[in-house]
Amino acid sequence: MNRLIKLLLILTVLALGLSACGQTATQQPTPQPQTVRETVTVKETVVVPAEKITVRLSGWASSPAETALLESLLYKFSVENPDILVKYEPITGDYKQVLLTSIASGTEPDIFYVDIFWWLELAANDALLPLDDLMAASGVSRSDFIPALIDAFTYEGKTYGIPKDFNTLGMFYNKDLFDKAGLAYPTDDWTWDNLREAAAKLTDLSDPNKPIYGFCTPPDPGRFPVFVFQNGGTVMNSDYTDTTLDSEAAVKAAEFYTSFRTNQIGALPSDLGEGWQGTLFGKGQCAMVYEGGWLIPYLRDQFPNTKYGVVMPPAGPGGEGNLIFTVAWGISANTKNAEAAWKVVNFLTSEASQKAVLESGFALPSRQALQNSDYLKNNPNSAAIFNGSFFGAKPFFWGAVGSDVNDQMAKALERMFKENQPAPEAMKQAADSIRKAMR
């Protein structure tokens, strides 16, 4: 109560003081000269900075160098588009599972990597935004990209992803071993017959401590399908409702593929104490291997003295065949900033950005225009892998049961290699297991 009384007293004193000041000013007016003043109203325009649009972007971090390249491209984007803030949120661990969990909870990023191996389940379940209208509005055409790549991310006539880069398989050959055997180097015109004849001549088992095999054939579902395509076959039917691994074309391809080891002119990586044939190629124990562009920087860093070349895989009875490994930029169907997200994707897949990807050596660009780039002209090994996308290449994608298909292909090849199971029986067993998984 005393505090309230004190407060009232203070307010009263202040009021009296103000009143006194007012009375003094009134009682002693100061004479003012008589002047005419013109009032000028000045209008000032205050520019209020627009609020930045935030776009979240996710992917996996494959290597520090590749991450640095992406971050440098995003920095360039921020300079050109100051009104858009891109938050890069790389996902570690099981990328697909983390992404699917975020989609289920509605917390997914605006932009994210979509792998060719499982992208369709996202598109079919309305998790991805169709990009065709955004592409048309910004003058981007599907024809700007390599057909096999853009088609790989097309579902029911709509485009659901822009391929950020890709790889195919090339046939790497060891020049020193070819020179030693007195053989001319392979060309893009080679066939299965050329491959088999060269493998026989390149094989040298005289040194048991370092046997040399002409052609290595791992039980790998990322290599074997190329031979099925080259024999005119497929792994799945056109709508992915059934497998065709037990077809005559696939069985004959399996017989050819496994014949190298059977005839002792080829080997599995495990036969030579390695898990990957790329290492054996660097060591000079596999004269020819099918690998992607990822082998180029590996050889440069680990086996700089290995002299090699790359050509497209030899054609089979059914013609050319290859596999495409690719990842696209996709946009969430739930994004609140579709136009801003598209600006980011369009920038990252522009010809200028794709050129930076190409020259980095990490992967190949998806833009057709770069087929004639100086980089590819000066790097024929990379050019061979790039050009492989135009000749019989099919996406590394087998539908909703893709993991089961890969698993059964590998098991069938293992049985053929190590248990001498006949190809028709092995492929039929694989096909039956896949069909069970599809029920």
Side-chain angles (χ1 to χ4, degrees):
M1 191 66 178
N2 290 335
R3 292 176 62 189
L4 180 59
I5 294 171
K6 288 182 180 179
L7 179 60
L8 291 172
L9 289 172
I10 291 170
L11 291 173
T12 302
V13 171
L14 287 174
L16 292 172
L18 290 172
S19 176
C21 290
Q23 290 174 357
T24 304
T26 302
Q27 292 171 355
Q28 298 178 0
T30 303
Q32 297 293 328
Q34 298 295 314
T35 58
V36 177
R37 299 188 179 215
E38 182 179 353
T39 303
V40 178
T41 302
V42 179
K43 293 184 179 179
E44 293 186 12
T45 302
V46 179
V47 179
V48 179
E51 184 177 350
K52 283 192 174 185
I53 298 172
T54 299
V55 173
R56 295 168 54 222
L57 178 149
S58 285
W60 55 77
S62 58
S63 71
E66 190 169 1
T67 297
L69 174 62
L70 174 58
E71 290 176 339
S72 71
L73 291 175
L74 291 176
Y75 173 76
K76 290 178 181 177
F77 175 84
S78 68
V79 172
E80 295 182 19
N81 300 270
D83 57 325
I84 300 175
L85 173 64
V86 181
K87 286 188 176 181
Y88 176 43
E89 303 171 355
I91 295 173
T92 57
D94 189 337
Y95 174 84
K96 181 184 177 184
Q97 187 56 52
V98 173
L99 178 64
L100 291 178
T101 300
S102 69
I103 291 174
S105 62
T107 59
E108 75 271 24
D110 299 280
I111 306 166
F112 45 83
Y113 286 1
V114 285
D115 192 289
I116 184 60
F117 199 63
W118 44 259
W119 79 277
L120 188 55
E121 60 189 274
L122 298 183
N125 287 284
D126 301 321
L128 291 174
L129 183 73
L131 304 177
D132 303 270
D133 290 343
L134 292 166
M135 292 169 65
S138 54
V140 176
S141 171
R142 287 171 55 91
S143 63
D144 294 334
F145 301 92
I146 295 172
L149 294 179
I150 199 71
D151 289 346
F153 294 98
T154 302
Y155 173 61
E156 294 185 344
K158 295 181 180 179
T159 309
Y160 286 90
I162 302 297
K164 73 182 191 70
D165 51 40
F166 78 100
N167 254 297
T168 63
L169 295 174
M171 190 178 81
F172 286 69
Y173 62 93
N174 185 302
K175 290 185 175 181
D176 286 339
L177 294 178
F178 268 78
D179 291 341
K180 182 179 177 181
L183 294 175
Y185 296 153
T187 68
D188 290 335
D189 297 324
W190 264 30
T191 66
W192 279 10
D193 289 337
N194 298 123
L195 176 62
R196 180 170 44 217
E197 291 169 6
K201 293 177 180 178
L202 289 161
T203 298
D204 182 357
L205 308 181
S206 60
D207 183 352
N209 295 317
K210 191 180 179 181
I212 298 170
Y213 289 91
F215 183 54
C216 284
T217 52
D220 187 346
R223 305 292 180 274
F224 168 65
V226 172
F227 290 81
V228 178
F229 302 154
Q230 291 166 350
N231 202 37
T234 59
V235 172
M236 303 292 289
N237 63 3
S238 59
D239 60 359
Y240 305 102
T241 57
D242 192 15
T243 182
T244 52
L245 280 177
D246 53 353
S247 67
E248 182 179 0
V251 170
K252 293 295 184 184
E255 290 176 341
F256 178 75
Y257 190 74
T258 56
S259 69
F260 290 88
R261 184 173 185 266
T262 301
N263 295 325
Q264 296 188 328
I265 58 175
L268 309 182
S270 59
D271 293 336
L272 301 174
E274 293 289 348
W276 180 42
Q277 63 181 8
T279 301
L280 291 169
F281 181 80
K283 288 181 174 181
Q285 288 188 263
C286 287
M288 297 179 289
V289 296
Y290 279 15
E291 286 295 330
W294 50 79
L295 184 56
I296 294 175
Y298 176 77
L299 293 173
R300 179 194 64 213
D301 297 338
Q302 301 298 322
F303 298 96
N305 296 322
T306 298
K307 298 177 183 177
Y308 68 93
V310 185
V311 295
M312 288 189 292
E320 306 282 357
N322 212 324
L323 273 172
I324 285 181
F325 307 91
T326 184
V327 174
W329 290 111
I331 297 178
S332 168
N334 296 320
T335 182
K336 300 296 189 294
N337 301 301
E339 291 186 2
W342 167 248
K343 277 189 177 182
V344 178
V345 171
N346 191 25
F347 180 88
L348 293 174
T349 56
S350 66
E351 187 171 332
S353 294
Q354 290 277 288
K355 186 179 181 213
V357 170
L358 172 61
E359 294 176 352
S360 72
F362 295 124
L364 295 169
S366 57
R367 287 265 176 174
Q368 286 206 74
L370 292 170
Q371 183 179 16
N372 300 315
S373 67
D374 289 339
Y375 180 90
L376 290 179
K377 289 177 183 177
N378 296 324
N379 292 271
N381 293 334
S382 294
I385 296 171
F386 183 94
N387 291 333
S389 64
F390 295 98
F391 296 92
K394 295 180 175 60
F396 185 55
F397 175 73
W398 320 125
V401 293
S403 295
D404 295 286
V405 175
N406 278 345
D407 184 49
Q408 293 303 323
M409 264 196 286
K411 287 179 177 178
L413 292 170
E414 285 277 2
R415 292 193 300 270
M416 293 171 65
F417 279 130
K418 298 183 178 180
E419 301 173 17
N420 296 318
Q421 185 179 26
E425 183 181 322
M427 300 303 277
K428 180 67 165 60
Q429 185 176 334
D432 287 344
S433 297
I434 293 167
R435 291 180 181 119
K436 286 181 182 178
M438 299 178 76
R439 292 174 186 167

